[in-house]
């Protein structure tokens, strides 16, 4: 077994196993309430991590970026959106229904990875709007429920286009010190938001802290995307294992 194969098997196997244990309720039954609650509440993050990693590693390098590639990407995005609506509206148990947030975020993230690189400046309106929506719609139940989706549209573009551009553009140098600093910042931000969260937030700052404390799923997904693709060197094009991808990088 080669090192990349071992790394890939352990990574995807661990994420799938964790997601299955959470969805089936095994985690809740086997672990103390405090621990199981923290693990179970982040199931959307595991789903985003798993499906986006699979797309980046296996689908994106093979479909290319021509009209055919866009057709496949749009079809995948629409399929994810349909699943999200079914999870939200269909007769599913809560442990599955809650994953709708991951499937609402994935269509946009899939299409973002399909964009030509460097990305057109106009698409940066996405994270800008995603930040403005919670500010304008402060206190709205719909905006609070969409926290994970909206913040995915902020943190993933920054991760892909600012912190580690080599992840989706194999020809660029890998800036591991910057990636490590970003990963540490994500952990510090996640811990800080929970430490300073107020049960009854008042004012803009406390409101922002409360909002960001709701998006652990996004922090988890971004952190482990970097760990797998950048730190462990599994980004497409980082190794000579898919020569057909050369010349087609976005």
């Amino acid at each position: 077994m080669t090192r990349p194969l071992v790394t890939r098997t352990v990574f995807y196997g661990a994420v799938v196993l964790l997601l299955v244990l959470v969805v089936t309720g095994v985690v809740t039954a086997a672990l103390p309430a405090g621990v199981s609650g923290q693990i179970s509440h982040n199931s959307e993050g595991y789903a985003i991590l798993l499906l986006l990693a699979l797309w980046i590693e296996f689908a994106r390098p093979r479909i290319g970026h021509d009209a055919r590639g866009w057709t496949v990407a749009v079809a995948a995005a629409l399929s994810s959106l349909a699943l999200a609506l079914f999870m939200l509206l269909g007769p599913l148990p809560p442990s599955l229904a809650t994953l709708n947030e991951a499937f609402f975020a994935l269509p946009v993230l899939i299409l973002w990875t399909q964009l030509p690189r460097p990305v057109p400046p106009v698409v940066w309106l996405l994270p800008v709007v995603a930040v403005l929506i919670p500010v304008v719609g402060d206190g709205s139940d719909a905006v609070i429920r969409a926290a994970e989706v909206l913040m995915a549209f902020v943190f993933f573009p920054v991760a892909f286009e600012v912190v580690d551009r080599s992840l989706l553009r194999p020809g660029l140098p890998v800036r591991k010190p910057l990636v490590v600093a970003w990963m540490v910042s994500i952990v510090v931000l996640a811990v800080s938001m929970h430490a300073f969260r107020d049960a009854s937030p008042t004012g803009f700052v406390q409101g922002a802290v409360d909002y960001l404390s709701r998006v652990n799923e996004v922090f988890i997904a971004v952190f482990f995307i970097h760990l797998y693709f950048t730190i462990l060197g599994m980004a497409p094009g980082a190794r000579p294992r898919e020569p057909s991808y050369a010349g087609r990088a976005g």
Side-chain angles (χ1 to χ4, degrees), residues 4-5 8 12 53-65 166-168 170-171 228-229 233-249:
L5 182 57
R8 189 180 302 117
Y12 288 111
L54 286 170
W55 177 265
I56 290 172
E57 184 169 11
F58 298 107
R60 183 177 180 270
R62 288 169 173 78
I63 65 174
H65 300 275
S166 68
L167 202 159
L168 298 179
Y228 180 66
F229 286 118
M234 296 298 288
R239 306 175 311 282
R241 63 185 181 88
E242 289 177 342
S244 63
Y245 185 64
R248 287 195 285 156

Side-chain angles (χ1 to χ4, degrees), residues 141-225:
D141 184 60
V143 172
I144 291 174
R145 288 176 178 273
E148 295 92 339
V149 177
L150 291 173
M151 289 303 101
F153 299 160
V154 175
F155 283 91
F156 275 107
V158 172
F160 291 151
E161 314 307 332
V162 178
V163 178
D164 186 15
R165 294 177 297 166
S166 68
L167 202 159
L168 298 179
R169 299 174 69 187
L172 296 181
V174 180
R175 299 180 293 180
K176 281 191 177 181
L178 178 60
V179 175
V180 171
W182 166 250
M183 292 170 69
V184 171
S185 299
I186 287 174
V187 174
V188 171
L189 181 61
V191 173
S192 299
M193 292 305 98
H194 283 275
F196 294 108
R197 182 181 181 184
D198 194 310
S200 302
T202 56
F204 177 78
V205 174
Q206 278 296 332
V209 169
D210 178 71
Y211 199 79
L212 288 174
S213 70
R214 299 173 181 274
V215 298
N216 267 3
E217 297 90 342
V218 177
F219 295 147
I220 288 170
V222 172
F223 182 93
F224 283 100
I225 283 284

Side-chain angles (χ1 to χ4, degrees), residues 1-208:
M1 244 186 172
T2 62
R3 189 196 71 83
L5 182 57
V6 171
T7 303
R8 189 180 302 117
T9 302
V10 171
F11 173 77
Y12 288 111
V15 179
V16 169
L17 178 61
L18 181 57
L19 194 54
V20 169
L21 292 176
V22 169
V23 169
T24 57
V26 173
V27 167
T28 303
L31 297 176
V35 177
S36 65
Q38 289 298 320
I39 295 174
S40 300
H41 290 163
N42 295 317
S43 58
E44 300 96 323
Y46 314 143
I48 293 176
L49 171 62
L50 174 64
L51 296 173
L52 189 58
L54 286 170
W55 177 265
I56 290 172
E57 184 169 11
F58 298 107
R60 183 177 180 270
R62 288 169 173 78
I63 65 174
H65 300 275
D66 54 12
R68 173 184 170 275
W70 272 100
T71 300
V72 175
V74 169
L78 290 176
S79 299
S80 178
L81 182 59
L83 275 172
L85 291 171
F86 178 70
M87 289 177 173
L88 180 64
L89 305 173
L92 294 175
S95 59
L96 279 174
T98 189
L99 297 179
N100 74 83
E101 293 157 346
F103 285 88
F104 274 122
L106 280 168
V108 175
L109 298 179
I110 286 172
L111 295 180
W112 185 282
T113 68
Q114 191 65 14
L115 292 169
R117 257 76 197 170
V119 295
V122 68
V123 302
W124 282 103
L125 284 173
L126 173 68
V128 171
V129 171
V131 169
L132 289 177
I133 288 176
V135 175
V136 175
D138 183 33
S140 165
D141 184 60
V143 172
I144 291 174
R145 288 176 178 273
E148 295 92 339
V149 177
L150 291 173
M151 289 303 101
F153 299 160
V154 175
F155 283 91
F156 275 107
V158 172
F160 291 151
E161 314 307 332
V162 178
V163 178
D164 186 15
R165 294 177 297 166
S166 68
L167 202 159
L168 298 179
R169 299 174 69 187
L172 296 181
V174 180
R175 299 180 293 180
K176 281 191 177 181
L178 178 60
V179 175
V180 171
W182 166 250
M183 292 170 69
V184 171
S185 299
I186 287 174
V187 174
V188 171
L189 181 61
V191 173
S192 299
M193 292 305 98
H194 283 275
F196 294 108
R197 182 181 181 184
D198 194 310
S200 302
T202 56
F204 177 78
V205 174
Q206 278 296 332

